[in-house]
Amino acid sequence: MPRYKPLTPTVESQRVQNAVQVILKYQQATKLKQTKSKLFEDDSFILLQITFNTIFKKKTFIPLRMSLPNPLFETPEVCFIVKDPKEKAKEIFENCGIIPKKVISISSLKKKFKTAEKKKLLCGSYDIFFFDAKLKLMIPNLLGKEFYKQKKIPSQLFVNKSLNKYYPEACKSTNIYLGFGVCTTIRVARVNMSEEKILENILYVINNITSIIPNFWQHANCISIKTSSSIALPIFKSIKVKIAHKIKDGELDKNAEQNNAPKDEKIIAEKRKSADLSQSNESLELTNKAKRSRFVKKNSDNKNNVDAANLDRSNTETTIESVESKQPESVESKQPKPVESKQ
């Protein structure tokens, strides 16, 4: 039997457009209440929130990249973390025509940015972070919580002669994080972009996300649009809501395979499940009956033992009383009394 492949659902562009218009109106209303000093960087991003019906087993400490048709930053301030000595990396940057704003060696990252305050300052001072792919195992342990909160975890690039091919595309991309829970958020656009560019980015991510997350539409439960301060507006919701359970990356559990199977196979699977349940219930009843019978037998045996002990006690008491009654008089009582002499 060929495996059943469900059709990929479609997201209505009109619903996405309505949601974007509502979010832009809300953002304009909140800007009037807040001062410029109170505004955070995250408030300027439009986020695509995705909730899954499964939890991915492996966490992506190093984010997955996805290019956007309209980049989030026109002239991004880039920070590059490289191996020691950093002079070699600077030579490669000059040969490739790349000029990052800051180049930090791994040794200076360990020494100068130990405390949480300094890591927070580093995270807020640059827009995008990259690191040399040779430092893949070292980077996650050196970063602080602020990088994960602000979605600024560095992505990897190989610092070599072919860097100029991948660097421009990486600057135009957004990061995707998986394995930190059932829900994930993706930076899709900025509030100061035009409505057309925002809509184009959102639809591009939805249509091309299957190239990064395999079997995306089988795992996706709900897709919504929001900002960091607004309510999430849903643009897609799956009909079948599955129970959250752990799976391997790119694979489905047996329950998911049964849901994707044809109707005949589903009916057979349901019948088997009901039969297994009935058998298990019967076995439980039998075990409970056996336990009850054993308990009753133990109680009866204990009662018999107690009765026998009581009988033994009563018999011993009667024998003792009979022996005491039959005992002869003492020798002193049987001796004759002395006769008094008559004077």
Side-chain angles (χ1 to χ4, degrees), residues 20-282:
V20 170
Q21 288 174 359
V22 170
I23 284 170
L24 291 175
K25 286 179 182 178
Y26 172 79
Q27 194 68 18
Q28 288 175 0
T30 53
K31 274 185 180 179
L32 297 172
K33 295 179 182 179
Q34 293 176 344
T35 58
K36 290 182 180 179
S37 60
K38 291 182 180 179
L39 287 172
F40 295 97
E41 291 183 359
D42 291 340
D43 292 338
S44 61
F45 289 102
I46 292 173
L47 308 171
L48 193 72
Q49 184 177 346
I50 303 167
T51 55
F52 298 98
N53 52 25
T54 57
I55 299 170
F56 291 91
K57 200 170 184 181
K58 291 183 180 179
K59 292 182 180 181
T60 55
F61 290 104
I62 295 162
L64 305 170
R65 280 200 308 269
M66 186 176 186
S67 61
L68 296 172
N70 302 301
L72 299 174
F73 306 97
E74 292 180 0
T75 56
E77 295 181 353
V78 179
C79 178
F80 223 114
I81 302 165
V82 296
K83 285 178 70 179
D84 292 315
K86 66 179 181 181
E87 285 74 16
K88 291 183 179 179
K90 285 183 176 181
E91 288 178 3
I92 293 168
F93 292 150
E94 289 176 1
N95 294 329
C96 295
I98 297 166
I99 306 170
K101 189 171 183 181
K102 184 71 175 176
V103 179
I104 302 172
S105 64
I106 192 71
S107 60
S108 63
L109 182 66
K110 289 178 182 178
K111 292 177 183 177
K112 295 179 182 179
F113 301 96
K114 283 184 178 181
T115 61
E117 293 179 358
K118 289 182 178 179
K119 288 177 182 179
K120 190 175 181 180
L121 288 171
L122 179 66
C123 182
S125 56
Y126 302 101
D127 298 325
I128 302 171
F129 290 86
F130 295 111
F131 70 92
D132 192 354
K134 294 174 184 177
L135 305 171
K136 186 177 180 179
L137 300 174
M138 300 172 70
I139 289 295
N141 296 325
L142 297 173
L143 301 174
K145 292 180 182 179
E146 206 63 32
F147 281 88
Y148 290 93
K149 284 181 182 178
Q150 296 189 18
K151 303 289 183 184
K152 285 189 177 182
I153 302 170
S155 57
Q156 62 180 357
L157 284 172
F158 286 96
V159 180
N160 51 25
K161 294 178 181 179
S162 61
L163 182 63
N164 55 359
K165 295 180 182 178
Y166 305 103
Y167 181 78
E169 188 178 353
C171 291
K172 295 178 182 178
S173 63
T174 186
N175 295 334
I176 299 171
Y177 307 91
L178 296 174
F180 291 93
V182 181
C183 182
T184 187
T185 54
I186 304 168
R187 287 181 176 180
V188 176
R190 293 177 75 93
V191 177
N192 56 11
M193 287 182 178
S194 63
E195 189 180 328
E196 294 177 355
K197 288 182 178 180
I198 294 167
L199 186 64
E200 187 181 357
N201 281 3
I202 291 167
L203 293 174
Y204 180 83
V205 171
I206 291 168
N207 293 327
N208 296 301
I209 200 167
T210 52
S211 61
I212 294 170
I213 304 172
N215 302 320
F216 172 77
W217 294 110
Q218 294 174 6
H219 304 327
N221 185 19
C222 181
I223 302 172
S224 53
I225 302 168
K226 60 168 286 186
T227 61
S228 62
S229 60
S230 71
I231 298 168
L233 302 175
I235 57 173
F236 168 79
K237 201 167 187 180
S238 64
I239 297 166
K240 294 179 181 179
V241 180
K242 301 173 188 176
I243 298 167
H245 55 280
K246 290 188 178 181
I247 63 165
K248 294 180 181 178
D249 292 337
E251 293 181 4
L252 292 171
D253 283 351
K254 292 180 181 179
N255 294 327
E257 289 178 359
Q258 287 178 3
N259 289 327
N260 295 327
K263 290 183 178 179
D264 296 335
E265 292 182 2
K266 283 183 183 179
I267 292 162
I268 292 163
E270 287 175 359
K271 286 180 178 179
R272 284 176 181 172
K273 280 184 180 179
S274 61
D276 293 336
L277 286 170
S278 62
Q279 287 178 1
S280 63
N281 290 328
E282 288 176 0

